[in-house]
Amino acid sequence: MNIELEAAVEEIVKQFAIDKDFLVEATKHFHESMSAGLATSTPTRDYMPMIPTYVTGIPTGKEKGLYLAADLGGTNFRVCSIHLGGDHTFEMKQSKYKIPVDLMQGEDATADGLFNYLAEKVKTFLDQHHNEHAEQLKLGFTFSFPVNQTALNRGTLIRWTKGFDLPDCVDKDVVELLQKHMELLGVKVHVAALANDTVGTLLSRAYSNDISKTNSNTVVGAIFGTGTNGAYFETLKNIPKLKKEDIPEGAKGMVINTEWGSFDNTLKILPCTKYDKLVDDETANVGYHLFEKRISGMFLGELLRVALMDLFDRGLIFQELYKARGGTLPHRIFEPWLISAEVLSYLQIDDSTDLKMSELVLENHLRLPTNKEERLVIQKLTQSISHRAAYLSAIPLASIVARVQDQYKDDDRDFEFGCDGSVVEFYPGFRSKILEAVALIDPLKGSSKKIHLRIAKDGSGVGAALCASVS
Ligand code: BGC
């Protein structure tokens, strides 16, 4: 490899490296940021929102009944009906609808436009699957954006993330919006609970988890997908910001939606390369969710793209191609957000001769012809970006398991993290790297309990149904 290029790549790889001391230190910061967020409701960039969800228990697996769930969290809207069997099992029917981009962002995008679309899809789903059902069904609404929740079925949007941008929706109650638009269409459904997808993941994993077989308590519901976030059960004494009158009768604790995507928005500890800054500048929520922008699927490909463009601007890569094309590169490489985490997952593990598989993937997805040296660079950068992402992902998990271990001091069960999302489910090696980093942090010092990471499918459907079932 050309010496100058090799040195430049080494320099970038170094900036993405994460060591044990950093992990331990960052886990401490995470713990402090959680405590600060639990103490005050005043929104700030200094610590995580730590949003009380008004869910006061963790399912046992015995819950029963028919419920609806609606899920808005990314580019698809999902509507499901879930029949909880009361024995850790459930049956689910579901439909997915792609949300038109002009309803998500842009000049004409409004709250009414989006919620009217969502209400229409609930109606379509009911007409198709539950035409016969006469009585009003309860619906759990999974809404995977930061919300200021004030009751189980009340919450106002704090800000959009993940590419949504409808300014007139901020500060509005999203349950009211969905209820209003369903009523306008004559849909007989009651929105009984509002849940973040991580809350759904925690509850659905706890419901499915048959403790007599797994011998482990589910302590975190986490998403590592387009975005990242986690929820866990906190005891009331540790949530000083909850007012007495807001505490449901008999509650001993509450599930907290951490919104850990916003960990360290002031960059006291997180690594910050020039590529992180470039990517942040391209987003609609600059300066927010900076932890998410180093970890989640929406951002990994973009980090790679801006790093490659930097090497290109420095005259170190794609030079032959540039000349051969008379002073241009294929236009896709200039387009933000075009490299998906899925593309990265192929590049990550390519062990074919001369990285031939990467060659095809880059041609197919980016129309980008490459030589072997360029592919080696691309693979190296991909691996260091994803390695940092997986190692950073261990910080909240380790911090939370350390925090809650006291809640379980009277039993000898292991701990499990229930995780969902495309990155944790499909990105090669992501799960084992998270566990490797958790082991480096060693959050349970001296304990013989083990830590497991388990994939919790359908959290947003079943979990929302479980939330509606307790209303
Ligand atoms: C949102 C969270 C959500 C996470 C995973 C983040 O961008 O702020 O509310 O849980 O994505 O979907």
Side-chain angles (χ1 to χ4, degrees), residues 326-400:
T328 59
L329 286 183
H331 68 95
R332 288 195 177 196
I333 191 74
F334 295 108
E335 278 178 37
W337 314 113
L338 214 89
I339 308 184
S340 65
E342 190 190 347
V343 166
L344 263 56
S345 69
Y346 299 127
L347 306 173
Q348 170 91 19
I349 45 162
D350 185 4
D351 58 359
S352 59
T353 317
D354 296 340
L355 300 176
K356 283 282 176 206
M357 188 179 88
S358 298
E359 184 172 20
L360 283 179
V361 168
L362 292 162
E363 291 244 10
N364 278 342
H365 290 266
L366 302 177
R367 310 279 179 269
L368 184 70
T370 45
N371 61 36
K372 183 181 166 194
E373 182 179 61
E374 289 160 349
R375 292 195 290 280
L376 279 169
V377 169
I378 294 174
Q379 185 171 60
K380 221 170 187 177
L381 295 181
T382 299
Q383 288 171 344
S384 63
I385 291 167
S386 67
H387 179 87
R388 187 185 74 166
Y391 265 44
L392 291 179
S393 303
I395 294 166
L397 297 173
S399 190
I400 291 175

Side-chain angles (χ1 to χ4, degrees), residues 54-343:
Y54 298 86
V55 173
T56 55
I58 298 282
T60 56
K62 302 211 163 65
E63 296 72 12
K64 277 187 177 167
L66 179 66
Y67 299 93
L68 290 176
D71 174 13
L72 180 73
T75 45
N76 289 309
F77 179 57
R78 223 160 52 106
V79 185
C80 349
S81 61
I82 297 103
H83 190 265
L84 300 171
D87 54 357
H88 304 286
T89 68
F90 59 87
E91 276 168 34
M92 177 150 86
K93 290 181 184 156
Q94 65 164 316
S95 297
K96 244 193 200 175
Y97 309 93
K98 187 148 186 57
I99 301 176
V101 179
D102 53 353
L103 290 183
M104 288 166 60
Q105 48 162 277
E107 291 214 330
D108 299 331
T110 61
D112 279 337
L114 177 67
F115 280 83
N116 171 55
Y117 176 85
L118 305 185
E120 273 175 3
K121 296 306 167 202
V122 175
K123 184 171 183 338
T124 309
F125 177 85
L126 287 174
D127 289 347
Q128 263 169 10
H129 297 288
H130 294 281
N131 214 355
E132 78 299 345
H133 209 86
E135 77 206 61
Q136 190 180 49
L137 285 171
K138 284 184 179 177
L139 178 141
F141 182 23
T142 305
F143 184 77
S144 307
F145 300 94
V147 158
N148 187 5
Q149 195 154 358
T150 47
L152 188 61
N153 69 344
R154 237 181 299 137
T156 52
L157 174 68
I158 299 173
R159 81 182 73 86
W160 289 108
T161 58
K162 297 179 287 194
F164 277 75
D165 191 17
L166 305 101
D168 77 326
C169 195
V170 173
D171 291 335
K172 290 212 176 116
D173 186 329
V174 292
V175 171
E176 247 173 54
L177 276 168
L178 183 60
Q179 191 73 60
K180 173 179 109 182
H181 282 279
M182 289 196 303
E183 274 162 22
L184 286 174
L185 296 176
V187 178
K188 273 198 309 175
V189 165
H190 170 60
V191 187
L194 173 66
N196 185 264
D197 51 358
T198 57
V199 177
T201 303
L202 174 65
L203 299 198
S204 81
R205 176 59 210 162
Y207 175 83
S208 308
N209 176 17
D210 186 344
I211 287 181
S212 68
K213 294 193 180 125
T214 61
N215 193 41
S216 29
N217 294 307
T218 314
V219 289
V220 181
I223 304 281
F224 299 99
T226 310
T228 182
N229 187 15
Y232 75 105
F233 188 81
E234 183 59 276
T235 44
L236 286 183
K237 71 172 180 356
N238 290 338
I239 322 176
K241 71 177 171 188
L242 262 188
K243 296 195 205 84
K244 269 219 173 71
E245 61 270 26
D246 289 341
I247 301 173
E249 230 185 277
K252 294 201 168 57
M254 198 177 273
V255 174
I256 298 289
N257 165 16
T258 65
E259 286 295 338
W260 72 39
S262 261
F263 169 51
D264 198 23
N265 280 337
T266 51
L267 293 179
K268 288 207 179 63
I269 181 127
L270 285 179
C272 189
T273 68
K274 71 174 175 191
Y275 309 119
D276 293 305
K277 288 201 198 91
L278 284 169
V279 169
D280 186 29
D281 282 344
E282 287 168 359
T283 60
N285 56 347
V286 176
Y288 285 94
H289 264 37
L290 297 187
F291 189 58
E292 170 164 292
K293 288 172 188 167
R294 284 152 178 74
I295 289 183
S296 72
M298 178 163 171
F299 304 95
L300 300 183
E302 187 56 11
L303 282 167
L304 173 66
R305 195 191 68 83
V306 296
L308 290 175
M309 288 321 291
D310 177 43
L311 292 176
F312 169 68
D313 290 341
R314 289 155 66 187
L316 296 172
I317 198 171
F318 306 141
Q319 297 304 309
E320 280 169 25
L321 181 66
Y322 183 71
K323 282 186 206 119
R325 292 174 54 99
T328 59
L329 286 183
H331 68 95
R332 288 195 177 196
I333 191 74
F334 295 108
E335 278 178 37
W337 314 113
L338 214 89
I339 308 184
S340 65
E342 190 190 347
V343 166

Side-chain angles (χ1 to χ4, degrees), residues 29-70:
H29 274 256
F30 195 91
H31 181 88
E32 284 157 18
S33 179
M34 287 175 94
S35 302
L38 289 167
T40 158
S41 310
T42 320
T44 160
R45 287 175 69 234
D46 289 325
Y47 39 79
M48 286 178 285
M50 304 299 288
I51 302 163
T53 62
Y54 298 86
V55 173
T56 55
I58 298 282
T60 56
K62 302 211 163 65
E63 296 72 12
K64 277 187 177 167
L66 179 66
Y67 299 93
L68 290 176

